[in-house]
Amino acid sequence: MTLNGPDHFAPTGRASLEGARGLAAVRIGIGLIQGLILYLLYRSASDNAALAWPATQPSLFAALVLAATFAPIMLLAGVGRMGWKTLALWGAIAAAVLALLGWHDAAQQASDYFRPPYLRFPVVAFAAAALFIAHHLIVPAIEGRRWIADYDDYFDTAWKAGVQLVLSLGFTGAFWLLLFLGAALFRVIGLSFLSDLLGEEWFSIPVTCLVFAVAVQLTDVRGGLIRGVRTVALMLLSWLLLVITVLVAGFLAALPFTGLDGLWKTGSATALVLSAAAALIVLINTAYQDGREDNLPPAALRAAVRIAAVLLTPLILIALWGLSLRIGQHGLTPDRIMASACALVGVLYAAGYGWAALSPLWRKSAWMKPLERTNVLAVVLTVLVILALFSPLADPARLSVNDQMGRLKRGAVSAVQFDYAFLRFGAGKTGRAALADLAKSSDAEIARRAKAAQASTSRYDVEEAALPPRAPNIAPWPADKPLPAAFLAPTTPPDPRYACNSEDNCLAAQRDLNGDGRDEILLATAYNIALFSQDAEGRWVHQGDYQVPHCPGPGRRDLREALKHPDLKAAASPWPDLNMGAVTGRLQPETVCPKPVAVNP
C-alpha cells in the first residue's frame, strides 16, 4: 500500500482512510520506539541501574540522547511527505549529525558537576533549531523536485509545521494535566495506583512520546484547520509589528541626545539590541507571509514593514559596535562568539531587508520581493553557523581560550588581571588544559595564580584569590586597648577581615574565651561575629562565626553594639558535640526571640 501525504486525500473514501490509518500506525510506531529508547537511556543513568552502559560513557550517552530526542520528531513530520528511502536517508543523516554535536559537546566539558545527560542547554536549543530549519528547507525541495523550492512552499511548510509543533506540545501538556487531575481525584478516595503509575519512568517516558506522536497525526490530518489557525496567529502577530517599530524608532531617535553610555552600562547591550532585531525580523515575516498578491497586508502594515526593514541596519551596527568594544577590551569569550555569530546572520538580514525596502526608490519591483531570497540565504547561513559553533570547526571554547592566552602572552592583560576562573570553569577541557600549561609557566605570579585556580572549587574562590592583599581597618573595643599588629596584617578573601575597609563597619574585642590564659579576638559587623585565635606560629586564624539570632522588631540589635556589652563572656553549651569518627556534629540551637512588649494605646 502506498502512503500519501495527508493533504492529498479527502476525508472520505476507502483509499484515503487506509492511507490515514497507515500514517497513524507509522507515527505511533515511531513514538513508541522513541519512548523505549529514551527510557532505556534514562534507566542506564539511574543510580540503581543493572546495566549502567552507555551512561558510563558521557560522550556516547550525550550523542544518543540528542539523536533520540530530536531525530524521531523530524521523522514524525516527514512521514507522508517524503518517500520512504528519502526519509530513511535524511533521518540517518540528521541522527548522525545530532549525535556528533552531542558527542562533541560532552567531550569538551570538564564540569565538576558533570551528570547525565551531559548536554548543555545551548547545544540542545540550537541543535533543535538547526534541525527544524534544515528539515523545512529539504521537504519543499523534495516535494517540488527542485534544489530550491518556491518561496511560498517554504513559507507554507515551515509555518504550518511551527503551528503543529506548538499544538502538539500543548496537547501533550494537557494530557498530563488531566492525568494528574485524575490521580488527585483517586487519592481523595484513598486510591494511589494512578499516582504511583505516573511516577514510574517506564510509563511516563514512552507515554509522553506516544501522545506527542498521536498529536502530530491529529494535527496533520486536518491541514486546512491548521492553516486557519496559522492565518489567525500571523494576523494577530503582524499588528504587533506597529508596536515594535514605533519603540525601536523612538529608541534610535533618542540615541543622539542620550548617547550610548547608558546602553553599555547594562552589561547586556548586544543581547538587548540583537533581541530587538530578532523581534523585528519575525514580525516582518508575519506581515509579509508568502508574498502573494492576495495576501498583501493593509497599507499601514506595508509601511511598517518598510520602516522596520530599514531600522534593522542601525540595530545591527550598534550590536557590532558593542561587540567590538567588549572584545577589544576583554577578548573573546564563548558568549561573545555566539553573539558575533548572531550578528553575522543579522548583517545578512539587515542588508537584504534594507535592499528590499529601498530598492523601489530607483527601480520598479514587487513589494519587498528581495526579502524572500534573503530569508532563504539567511536560514541556510544559520544552519551552517550552528553546525560550525557546536563542532570542532568553530568551537567557542577553543577560540576563546586561544584568544585569551594570546592576550596574556603579548601583555594585553597582566598576570593579575587575567581571568583564570574562565579557564577553570568556563572553557571546558580546553580551558583546563591551558590552565595546566600556565601552572608550569616560568612567570612565578602566573604559575601561582594558575595553581590556585586549579585547586579552587568555585569561580568565586578564584576571583577572590585574584584580589590584592590589603590591611584591614578595624576599631578596637575598648578604644584604649589596641589590637595586635599581627591581627591587622594585610589579608585576602575569604578572611572576614578583608571586608573591614572602614572603622565604621568592623569592631573587635579581645577576650579569653576558653580560659587558656591567652586572648582571642571577636570581630563584629552589624550582622555577624567572627572568632579569631592565634596558632603556634603567632598567626591569627579565623575559627568560625557565632550564630546570633536576628530578631525582628525594635529589639533588633547591631552586633557591634552588642560586642560592647559589659556582661559579654563565654557561655557553656548545655548540649555536647556529637563525635562521629572523622566528623563532628554541633547542635545549632533553635532561634528564640523575646516576645514583643505590649504597648497600651
Side-chain angles (χ1 to χ4, degrees):
M1 179 180 64
T2 301
L3 301 181
N4 298 315
D7 292 336
H8 299 297
F9 56 78
T12 60
R14 183 178 300 276
S16 298
L17 184 60
E18 290 179 356
R21 288 175 177 173
L23 290 174
V26 172
R27 285 192 169 111
I28 289 173
I30 292 172
L32 286 174
I33 293 172
Q34 180 190 26
L36 177 61
I37 293 173
L38 289 177
Y39 168 69
L40 292 175
L41 290 171
Y42 173 85
R43 182 67 180 170
S44 73
S46 61
D47 294 334
N48 57 349
L51 179 62
W53 188 89
T56 53
Q57 303 292 325
S59 296
L60 176 61
F61 188 82
L64 293 174
V65 168
L66 198 61
T69 300
F70 293 122
I73 297 176
M74 179 273 298
L75 293 176
L76 292 174
V79 168
R81 291 183 173 83
M82 306 170 70
W84 296 118
K85 292 182 179 179
T86 305
L87 181 62
L89 178 61
W90 168 226
I93 293 173
V97 172
L98 289 168
L100 289 174
L101 294 180
W103 183 290
H104 174 73
D105 186 60
Q108 295 305 307
Q109 293 185 56
S111 172
D112 295 329
Y113 304 99
F114 198 41
R115 298 288 184 272
Y118 307 114
L119 290 167
R120 296 171 299 170
F121 174 76
V123 73
V124 175
F126 281 97
L131 180 63
F132 182 90
I133 294 170
H135 180 72
H136 296 98
L137 284 172
I138 291 173
V139 169
I142 290 176
E143 290 181 330
R145 299 181 181 275
R146 301 166 57 186
W147 285 103
I148 300 177
D150 293 332
Y151 182 77
D152 58 343
D153 291 333
Y154 285 128
F155 170 84
D156 182 71
T157 302
W159 281 92
K160 178 186 173 186
V163 173
Q164 280 186 275
L165 179 61
V166 172
L167 292 177
S168 298
L169 291 173
F171 180 86
T172 306
F175 172 83
W176 275 101
L177 286 176
L178 292 177
L179 285 184
F180 284 123
L181 176 60
L185 290 174
F186 278 110
R187 282 200 306 269
V188 169
I189 59 175
L191 298 176
S192 62
F193 72 95
L194 186 54
S195 297
D196 297 337
L197 184 63
L198 297 183
E200 296 290 342
E201 288 77 14
W202 62 262
F203 173 81
S204 60
I205 295 175
V207 165
T208 300
C209 297
L210 175 61
V211 171
F212 181 82
V214 170
V216 172
Q217 174 65 18
L218 293 175
T219 56
D220 203 37
V221 296
R222 292 293 182 267
L225 294 178
I226 296 299
R227 288 190 176 91
V229 174
R230 181 192 65 189
T231 300
V232 173
L234 290 175
M235 183 271 294
L236 292 175
L237 288 173
S238 64
W239 286 100
L240 293 177
L241 178 64
L242 295 174
V243 179
I244 189 64
T245 301
V246 170
L247 294 175
V248 171
F251 165 76
L252 294 173
L255 283 182
F257 305 98
T258 63
L260 291 170
D261 290 342
L263 186 62
W264 303 146
K265 289 178 181 178
T266 64
S268 56
T270 300
L272 286 172
V273 174
L274 288 177
S275 297
L280 282 177
I281 291 169
V282 171
L283 294 177
I284 285 172
N285 281 279
T286 63
Y288 184 80
Q289 299 190 27
D290 57 9
R292 294 185 303 181
E293 290 292 333
D294 55 346
N295 270 343
L296 281 179
L301 277 181
R302 293 202 298 273
V305 166
R306 288 191 186 277
I307 296 172
V310 173
L311 294 179
L312 276 176
T313 297
L315 285 179
I316 298 299
L317 290 176
I318 291 172
L320 291 172
W321 186 8
L323 273 174
S324 64
L325 291 176
R326 297 295 290 177
I327 292 172
Q329 293 169 348
H330 306 291
L332 291 176
T333 63
D335 288 344
R336 290 177 195 137
I337 291 175
M338 300 284 285
S340 299
C342 294
L344 173 63
V345 176
V347 168
L348 179 56
Y349 273 114
Y353 283 26
W355 173 263
L358 298 177
S359 59
L361 296 177
W362 57 82
R363 70 185 184 93
K364 187 177 181 180
S365 62
W367 178 68
M368 295 296 290
K369 191 68 175 177
L371 174 148
E372 298 178 1
R373 181 175 297 177
T374 299
N375 280 346
V376 175
L377 292 175
V379 295
V380 172
L381 176 62
T382 299
V383 173
L384 295 177
V385 166
I386 290 174
L387 294 179
L389 287 176
F390 296 100
S391 70
L393 292 176
D395 181 30
R398 175 175 56 82
L399 297 178
S400 300
V401 169
N402 291 342
D403 180 70
Q404 295 294 342
M405 294 290 284
R407 284 166 52 83
L408 180 62
K409 290 179 180 178
R410 65 176 180 266
V413 60
S414 68
V416 175
Q417 297 172 328
F418 185 75
D419 191 357
Y420 301 90
F422 166 69
L423 298 183
R424 174 68 172 84
F425 299 102
K429 292 182 178 178
T430 304
R432 293 196 178 186
L435 190 62
D437 291 338
L438 293 182
K440 303 173 186 176
S441 173
S442 58
D443 187 309
E445 182 66 16
I446 291 177
R448 182 184 71 81
R449 291 178 177 270
K451 290 176 181 177
Q454 285 180 311
S456 65
T457 57
S458 74
R459 175 184 291 271
Y460 304 105
D461 292 343
V462 181
E463 293 172 350
E464 287 184 343
L467 295 173
R470 71 182 180 198
N473 192 352
I474 303 171
W477 181 261
D480 58 355
K481 187 177 182 180
L483 297 169
F487 184 75
L488 299 175
T491 62
T492 57
D495 192 305
R497 289 172 290 178
Y498 191 83
C500 299
N501 53 11
S502 168
E503 288 189 359
D504 294 334
N505 63 4
C506 290
L507 187 71
Q510 302 178 62
R511 296 286 190 279
D512 181 7
L513 298 176
N514 57 4
D516 63 353
R518 295 192 304 174
D519 280 346
E520 287 75 41
I521 295 181
L522 296 171
L523 178 66
T525 63
Y527 304 101
N528 184 68
I529 296 180
L531 173 64
F532 288 82
S533 67
Q534 276 188 302
D535 61 12
E537 299 177 3
R539 295 173 301 187
W540 288 93
V541 180
H542 179 216
Q543 300 297 334
D545 300 321
Y546 282 101
Q547 302 298 321
V548 182
H550 297 284
C551 298
R556 184 187 306 176
R557 302 174 66 184
D558 186 327
L559 294 184
R560 291 168 298 190
E561 294 301 317
L563 196 66
K564 301 177 182 180
H565 197 282
D567 295 332
L568 178 69
K569 61 183 178 181
S573 173
W575 303 105
D577 296 341
L578 293 180
N579 190 343
M580 297 170 283
V583 178
T584 299
R586 180 160 297 169
L587 181 69
Q588 298 295 327
E590 186 71 20
T591 298
V592 179
C593 292
K595 295 181 179 180
V597 179
V599 179
N600 189 348

